[in-house]
Amino acid sequence: MTTLLLDPDALSPSSHQIFTASRLDLNLPQPPRRFFRHGWQSWTLAAWLDPREPPLPIRAPEFRAKDEDPAYAFHKNHVSAWVGAAELAENDILLIGALGLSGRIEVSGSALKGFYEDNHQGEWLVARGREDEVFAKYAALLEAKFGRTRFEKPPRVWCSWYSLYKWIDETVLTKALHGLGNLPFDVFQIDDGWEDESGHWEAGKNFPGGMAAFAEKIKATGRTAGIWLSPFIVTPNLGIFREHHDWILRDEQGNLVTAGRNWTGTTYALDVTHPAVLEWLDKLIRKVVGWGYGYLKLDFLYAGAAIGKRYKDMPREEAYRNALKVMREAAGDAYILACGAPIVPSLGLCDGIRIGPDVTPYWLNRALSVWLNNPNDPATQNAIRTSLHRLWLKPLVHIDPDVLFFRTRWNALTPHENQLLQDLGTLTGFKATSDLPWWWKPSEREKVREFLETAPKVQKLKRYCYQIDGRVADFSPAIPISTSHLDFPVWLARNWGILKIVQHQALPAILAQRLHR
Ligand code: 9PG
């Protein structure tokens, strides 16, 4: 183990240095005004935080497993994944960035501590300067190390999730496909709900014609067929679970490692170092590409880097990256969108990456976000906040802030909130929606066309303020994180939150599916 002690005064503004060490200790003269905390995977909070306020753990275990880096979910200090930064003064940022997998940065009082998990040695960038300057330096070094997306322009995507959720079938999707008419979407992507089960990746009962036939149908409209998979997680009632017990990741005590809950219940993580699992992943991706899908949304990827005792002993993020590489090779020319994905270990192996939590057709689900202390929970405010703090990744990979809404029907966002989300889409350049075409008024449909066809001029004015063509977009309303000291019982918050999901998400989806059968 090598620990490097650094004096921040030795680093003059607009300069940077690279060090190799397993630990890096930097003592500032006083606690930083703000600490940049970068969340581990797509959904995990990225934001400038007040370092004097200690982190509050997520109060419900199933969301801790799904939304946080499991190693630090109860840590007493803020722990940032790969990159952390201290705001010393206005326009004076000190950034520490790991250039290897598993680097973390912790802030403790006036000390910044970089460390690699398991005391591995690795490289560190230490840079001082303006915010944009130090993050651009870090992004350039990451690109040199891990590579970048192979595609110039991000695709324009219609995705089934944020209107129909899991209530999809051949009929309603065919109707949506044809309803898009000549709108310039490049990809029509089927989301969760097509499969028999997570882990049994065959057409479920709602797709009696099979997935290859549906891909054909999509391609016949001139669009790329897209499909969702969560390759690293499995549900417990599957053959794979019974027949290949050794494929499921276990902890040091031999207990199965859960990977959090999805819409269908508790899921478990695969041991992605097991040769038979890697072979299975390779076959799975080749099968789906063989069906005709040229755009793969690979989700819940964090499960590949869950904590556990693996078949091959290696750092968890290295295990993850090796498995993603197998899928990358199997995918050939297909576009890979990584979702729920550890950010840095995915670079160079995916074309796009989700950079925030899921959006919702409302601003915030108070019960799930505030009462349960979970700023990673699906909600448009949470999505905007975290995505805004990851725009620096744009030169490396297509950054997906999730879908935008153009519909006013089944949309409880205020026009201003909805505009902020669309503006975020403009900043990232990744344009996607899930609106059902028959939910649009004619004027909304025209807005979609215009949005897909144009690239407004964007200029950054301040940290959260941009000029978009002639207009100013001020994202500050999305930044605050409200917390509650009321200690609502977790079961109450959970059920209260689900009511909101049922009202604004499930009900419209179920109605749409029934009415268009
Ligand atoms: C499909 C979705 C969509 C979405 C992904 C991911 O149970 N949960 O709390 C939960 C939250 C988010 C979530 C899934 C489950 O979202 O981000 O785009 O593909 O999966 O299941």
Side-chain angles (χ1 to χ4, degrees):
M1 189 172 117
T2 42
T3 303
L4 247 169
L5 281 169
L6 279 182
D7 177 1
D9 285 339
L11 208 73
S12 52
S14 282
S15 70
H16 71 268
Q17 289 182 42
I18 290 172
F19 303 96
T20 302
S22 51
R23 299 191 64 96
L24 197 99
D25 280 0
L26 224 148
N27 289 309
L28 303 171
Q30 68 224 21
R33 304 189 339 175
R34 303 240 134 213
F35 175 67
F36 181 85
R37 190 261 198 198
H38 183 255
W40 182 54
Q41 50 111 330
S42 305
W43 307 326
T44 326
L45 175 71
W48 284 100
L49 301 174
D50 182 343
R52 285 159 307 184
E53 286 174 16
L56 294 170
I58 302 174
R59 294 181 61 221
E62 72 273 26
F63 297 124
R64 270 198 302 277
K66 185 180 77 64
D67 290 331
E68 261 304 339
D69 183 346
Y72 313 101
F74 287 109
H75 206 281
K76 63 178 194 312
N77 295 322
H78 292 288
V79 178
S80 188
W82 307 290
V83 56
E87 188 179 74
L88 307 176
E90 181 110 14
N91 287 322
D92 187 4
I93 305 293
L94 194 136
L95 175 144
I96 302 184
L99 297 174
L101 310 177
S102 85
R104 300 290 186 271
I105 298 90
E106 175 184 349
V107 62
S108 169
S110 52
L112 291 180
K113 297 169 196 261
F115 63 94
Y116 278 100
E117 279 185 11
D118 313 319
N119 295 322
H120 276 252
Q121 287 258 114
E123 281 185 316
W124 299 96
L125 163 72
V126 180
R128 189 166 169 189
R130 284 181 297 103
E131 182 170 348
D132 292 347
E133 182 182 44
V134 292
F135 278 93
K137 181 74 209 166
Y138 182 51
L141 291 171
L142 286 177
E143 177 177 345
K145 185 102 189 179
F146 297 111
R148 65 188 307 278
T149 174
R150 302 161 304 154
F151 296 92
E152 212 33 63
K153 270 176 79 174
R156 296 163 293 184
V157 182
W158 190 89
C159 146
S160 62
W161 186 249
Y162 302 87
S163 52
L164 294 164
Y165 296 96
K166 63 187 178 112
W167 292 276
I168 51 175
D169 58 41
E170 276 174 8
T171 321
V172 71
L173 282 190
T174 304
K175 193 168 166 171
L177 176 66
H178 292 137
L180 294 179
N182 65 1
L183 287 174
F185 285 101
D186 305 304
V187 177
F188 184 91
Q189 182 240 313
I190 307 174
D191 213 284
D192 192 2
W194 65 269
E195 73 280 11
D196 181 44
E197 278 199 71
S198 274
H200 186 230
W201 299 104
E202 294 295 339
K205 62 178 180 348
N206 288 344
F207 288 81
M211 301 319 290
F214 209 89
E216 272 313 308
K217 217 183 243 190
I218 297 171
K219 290 197 285 179
T221 66
R223 306 190 204 276
T224 300
I227 198 163
W228 174 97
L229 295 159
S230 55
F232 292 160
I233 62 171
V234 290
T235 45
N237 44 338
L238 281 178
I240 207 181
F241 215 83
R242 283 190 304 271
E243 289 152 30
H244 305 288
H245 232 78
D246 55 332
W247 289 19
I248 319 288
L249 187 63
R250 289 170 184 271
D251 62 17
E252 292 287 343
Q253 287 74 44
N255 303 312
L256 297 173
V257 175
T258 69
R261 283 175 70 84
N262 68 3
W263 280 47
T264 47
T266 301
T267 60
Y268 293 87
L270 288 175
D271 176 350
V272 297
T273 63
H274 196 298
V277 171
L278 290 171
E279 200 183 313
W280 180 84
L281 288 168
D282 173 75
K283 285 212 180 95
L284 167 63
I285 299 299
R286 287 182 197 277
K287 171 175 82 179
V288 171
V289 171
W291 286 343
Y293 292 89
Y295 176 100
L296 310 176
K297 175 175 175 183
L298 305 182
D299 201 359
F300 291 91
L301 288 183
Y302 64 84
I307 298 171
K309 195 169 155 43
R310 292 185 166 78
Y311 179 90
K312 274 200 189 140
D313 186 26
M314 61 170 85
R316 58 194 175 112
E317 281 156 285
E318 203 177 307
Y320 167 84
R321 190 165 170 86
N322 288 345
L324 186 57
K325 203 176 274 162
V326 167
M327 296 199 290
R328 167 77 277 167
E329 275 159 22
D333 291 335
Y335 188 100
I336 291 184
L337 175 69
C339 187
I343 305 290
V344 166
S346 307
L347 295 176
L349 299 177
C350 62
D351 302 294
I353 192 163
R354 258 283 286 289
I355 53 164
D358 291 19
V359 296
T360 51
Y362 47 80
W363 189 242
L364 190 68
N365 191 329
R366 192 155 278 282
L368 297 184
S369 283
V370 182
W371 301 355
L372 292 182
N373 293 332
N374 187 6
N376 319 303
D377 189 61
T380 290
Q381 184 191 358
N382 294 339
I384 295 179
R385 184 196 301 113
T386 286
S387 291
L388 267 179
H389 289 92
R390 298 209 221 252
L391 295 175
W392 58 272
L393 285 160
K394 195 173 172 182
L396 283 174
V397 60
H398 296 160
I399 44 174
D400 169 18
D402 210 2
V403 304
L404 318 173
F405 301 104
F406 295 89
R407 66 199 204 218
T408 42
R409 190 155 161 200
W410 303 119
N411 184 354
L413 289 166
T414 66
H416 179 237
E417 292 162 351
N418 203 54
Q419 185 64 51
L420 284 182
L421 181 58
Q422 287 181 16
D423 288 342
L424 176 65
T426 300
L427 299 192
T428 63
F430 197 104
K431 298 174 175 185
T433 192
S434 288
D435 292 351
L436 290 170
W438 56 92
W439 284 358
W440 287 321
K441 296 178 192 152
S443 61
E444 289 163 1
R445 193 183 170 97
E446 276 323 295
K447 180 81 204 284
V448 176
R449 183 185 305 281
E450 189 198 320
F451 187 81
L452 294 176
E453 281 172 354
T454 54
K457 199 167 159 272
V458 174
Q459 202 197 335
K460 187 169 180 178
L461 303 174
K462 283 193 296 196
R463 187 177 279 163
Y464 303 127
C465 219
Y466 290 78
Q467 176 136 343
I468 299 181
D469 278 344
R471 214 160 40 75
V472 171
D474 179 359
F475 294 94
S476 344
I479 304 308
I481 303 173
S482 341
T483 50
S484 162
H485 298 285
L486 283 177
D487 270 358
F488 282 96
V490 170
W491 66 267
L492 180 69
R494 199 184 269 138
N495 287 301
W496 199 276
I498 290 173
L499 278 182
K500 183 149 188 162
I501 294 173
V502 168
Q503 181 194 353
H504 292 279
Q505 295 160 265
L507 258 181
I510 292 168
L511 276 174
Q513 192 198 30
R514 302 235 152 224
L515 293 175
H516 295 277
R517 253 194 198 145

